Amino acid sequence: MKFKSIGVLIAMAFFSYSHAQNPIIQTKYTADPAPMVYNDTVFLYVDHDEDADIGFFNMKNWLLYKSTDMVNWTDCGQVASLKTFSKWGRQDNGAWALQCMPRNGKFYAYCPVQLSGIGVAVANTPYGPFVDPIGKPLINNSGDDIDPTIFIDDDGQAYLYWGNPQPYYVKMNSDMTSYSGKITTQTVKPDKYVEGPWLTKRNGLYYLLYAANGIPENLAYATSTSPLGPWTYKGVIMPTQGASFTNHCGVADFKGHSYFMYHTGKLPRGGGFGRSVAIEEFKYNADGTFPTILPTDKGVSPIGTMNPRERVEAETMAFSKGVKVESNDETGVYVCDIHRGDSMVVRVLDFGKTSPSTFTASVASALQGGIMDVRIDSSHGPLLCTLNAPYTGGWEKWQTITANLNTKVEGVHDLYFIFRGNEGAKLFNFDWWKFQ
């Protein structure tokens, strides 16, 4: 039997998808999304709430995810940590909301270290490694030095905004690691600003988005005809909702679509100190104002497809249940902590007009291994193949295993990995896969 799509566009428009996609990352707690569009890819920088619940923000590093279709996100691992700023920053906690900006062939990440100031880290690629070029805080004004947002205007002048409970700004120099003039305080009238500014520009109008109205926070915005204000309060974008008493937004325009990114407390055991990033697509109103954007479980629709005949990293996924990710210098990032009943979904794979015949994956196990069922379109959909992951001699002793397809597959489909094995036992690690 052959499963064939009528066409890519029809398949994408009418896909029946059984899983929610928000929050977009299920393997870790993530917060304070900072999207950066670069080379036809959305790079999403986030900070990271550690799993341990200490009744406060337990944050030690900054992570990166990327996507070209807005539904499948690749975990690119850690890009910086408190150790990056070990010359001056506290090392026990406090890696709060950052933003990254490309300029002159380099990438500049503005990273607040709670109670120590705002640092700048520089890298040659979006993935890092980011290093501290000045060995001291870029901003060390007060205990309010959190949540930086960086913006480069059309004339090349860059501005850095930050602050809680009021916004500050400086004019950045062209080297992006120093600034000119004094630190200036801004106000938003009526005064609803709290923290988490995001500065952007559209059709000649400047937008300052931010968390507002105290605890619990909503997300609001103000506008100005100048990047230096004065700012006129325009209203609430996202009302207060969910288990997280904070919120923090970023916006991105990508391939003709506008996206609003924020965080929630929707993951299991999540909440105010275990947050998770989510995304909604939106359209500006005709007069340039923001619509009201409400959180959804569904998330956004895909705007592209993936090629299943190219090597796909296992940490690229649209949705997962139960699994985690780890990384090391030799392997990079890989999927781990796989147990019986866990699952992963990768969306909108375009198999073309000719079915592949085999499925290959790289796996490792220090125990008895396990089984991976590969299905399309749902967790109970047609079974393409069953791959047996054996004992390989260690959790990072990788073997490449190939299984023959039982069923031909063409066109565009979602791919489901369903894991089976001994109850309660860790089964195997999963590094990459592809069809041939």
Side-chain angles (χ1 to χ4, degrees), residues 326-338:
E326 291 179 350
S327 64
N328 60 45
D329 292 339
E330 182 176 350
T331 305
V333 183
Y334 57 88
V335 175
C336 66
D337 206 31
I338 298 172

Side-chain angles (χ1 to χ4, degrees), residues 168-246:
Y168 305 90
Y169 78 85
V170 291
K171 289 185 176 182
M172 296 295 294
N173 294 326
S174 60
D175 62 10
M176 300 296 281
T177 61
S178 63
Y179 64 87
S180 298
K182 64 179 182 178
I183 294 173
T184 304
T185 303
Q186 289 280 271
T187 58
V188 178
K189 295 187 178 297
D191 188 14
K192 295 174 178 287
Y193 174 95
V194 177
E195 61 184 352
W198 183 273
L199 182 61
T200 189
K201 184 181 183 181
R202 181 176 182 268
N203 295 335
L205 190 64
Y206 298 87
Y207 294 76
L208 185 66
L209 287 65
Y210 49 88
N213 286 332
I215 300 298
E217 296 172 342
N218 60 34
L219 293 171
Y221 77 111
T223 62
S224 176
T225 56
S226 166
L228 308 182
W231 297 99
T232 301
Y233 175 74
K234 301 297 289 186
V236 173
I237 301 173
M238 179 172 283
T240 300
Q241 294 193 33
S244 175
F245 57 85
T246 66

Side-chain angles (χ1 to χ4, degrees), residues 110-172:
Y110 299 89
C111 307
V113 179
Q114 184 209 8
L115 302 179
S116 299
I118 297 173
V120 56
V122 183
N124 293 323
T125 77
Y127 309 96
F130 283 86
V131 298
D132 178 3
I134 62 176
K136 61 181 181 180
L138 172 67
I139 303 294
N140 190 12
N141 182 50
S142 69
D144 302 341
D145 298 333
I146 66 170
D147 297 352
T149 180
I150 184 71
F151 168 75
I152 302 175
D153 209 346
D154 300 334
D155 61 2
Q157 177 62 59
Y159 301 88
L160 187 74
Y161 270 74
W162 74 93
N164 173 328
Q166 59 188 356
Y168 305 90
Y169 78 85
V170 291
K171 289 185 176 182
M172 296 295 294

